[in-house]
Amino acid sequence: MEQILLNDGNKIPAIGFGVFKIPSDGSTYQAVLEALNAGYRHIDTAVAYFNEAEVGRAIVDSGVDRKDIFVTSKLWLQDYGYEAAKKGLETSLKKLGLDYIDLYLLHQPYGDVVGAWEALEEGKANGQIKSIGVSNMTPKLWQKFIPQFKSVPAVNQVEFNPYFQQTELRKLLAPNNIKIEAWGPLGQGNRDLFAEPVIKQLAEKYHKDAGQIILRFENQLGIIVLPKSTHAARIKSNLNIFDFELTESEMSMMAQLDKGHGSHNPDAPGVKEILLSAFDVHEND
């Protein structure tokens, strides 16, 4: 698996397996086992996915050494603030059944972000976390919060696909070598995206499917991708993107697909309130 060097000296697998919206009824456990058996070594979960426990069990039962698996989880904004974030991190570790988390992110950029970040910095200092980062931070939100941090994030996980290539954000993060992780790297199954003529032409040329062309494009941009699937064949095919390379002109053609916006706008008014009311991450504690 190709590794990408983060600005804190740690390495992260270029492709991760995302478990967003996979239920914790045994489905997450089976999907993670399937992914690890297929060769994935990066699993991306979150407190708000309600499936950390199944991820942890699958890691143990996979037989793969813990040191060879990169685990990402995320703190929900319900637990922001210094003290609440410390407890939230401990809860994630307990549910995952792990001694440390490779990457821990602030899932949403609202509320006491600075206090929560301080707790993550402390968690990194004491070995509970290897790398720390943020998620869903637009350039506007980045400029609001990051100057208040003592340290810069290693990662910003945001919506990213050929229709939304985060051009402004990439320019902002590049000077500090902050990597973008793509949630929804396949456009969340957008049929129009998969039917784009340039993608279909490249798929035919390289004997790949549309999803593999999209993921390879993002990979060549230096984006860490997190495709999600519960289908064994798709889980395997999403990983099989390193035996071909798009040319410079083909990368330019793919770049022309950018529409400059995505399905989620973190800057929109009321987003914090909508997210906080969506669910209670402690309802079953």
Side-chain angles (χ1 to χ4, degrees), residues 105-240:
L105 308 177
L106 298 184
H107 203 159
Q108 301 291 346
Y110 314 103
D112 190 1
V113 172
V114 177
W117 184 255
E118 184 181 353
L120 265 59
E121 290 176 321
E122 184 177 294
K124 181 180 178 182
N126 65 29
Q128 292 175 298
I129 315 168
K130 299 294 185 182
S131 296
I132 54 179
V134 297
S135 184
N136 294 303
M137 275 204 182
T138 63
K140 179 179 178 180
L141 288 162
W142 187 272
Q143 300 285 25
K144 176 181 178 181
F145 290 114
I146 303 305
Q148 301 179 65
F149 292 0
K150 292 179 181 177
S151 60
V152 296
V155 162
N156 185 11
Q157 185 179 125
V158 295
E159 181 179 6
F160 191 105
N161 62 73
Y163 280 167
F164 187 28
Q165 297 177 30
Q166 296 279 8
T167 305
E168 183 183 356
L169 185 64
R170 282 156 57 197
K171 291 177 181 178
L172 181 63
L173 304 189
N176 288 309
N177 192 29
I178 296 157
K179 299 301 182 184
I180 287 180
E181 279 189 314
W183 65 256
L186 297 173
Q188 298 176 298
N190 187 319
R191 291 184 179 181
D192 291 341
L193 176 61
F194 279 67
E196 285 288 348
V198 62
I199 293 176
K200 293 175 70 175
Q201 291 164 11
L202 291 173
E204 183 175 352
K205 173 183 175 180
Y206 290 107
H207 306 290
K208 294 291 182 179
D209 60 40
Q212 290 168 320
I213 296 299
I214 292 168
L215 293 174
R216 185 56 168 155
F217 165 68
E218 293 163 346
N219 170 260
Q220 286 183 223
L221 287 177
I223 306 300
I224 301 157
V225 295
L226 303 168
K228 185 206 80 172
S229 179
T230 55
H231 302 290
R234 180 62 62 188
I235 288 172
K236 292 177 182 177
S237 68
N238 285 341
L239 201 60
N240 186 23

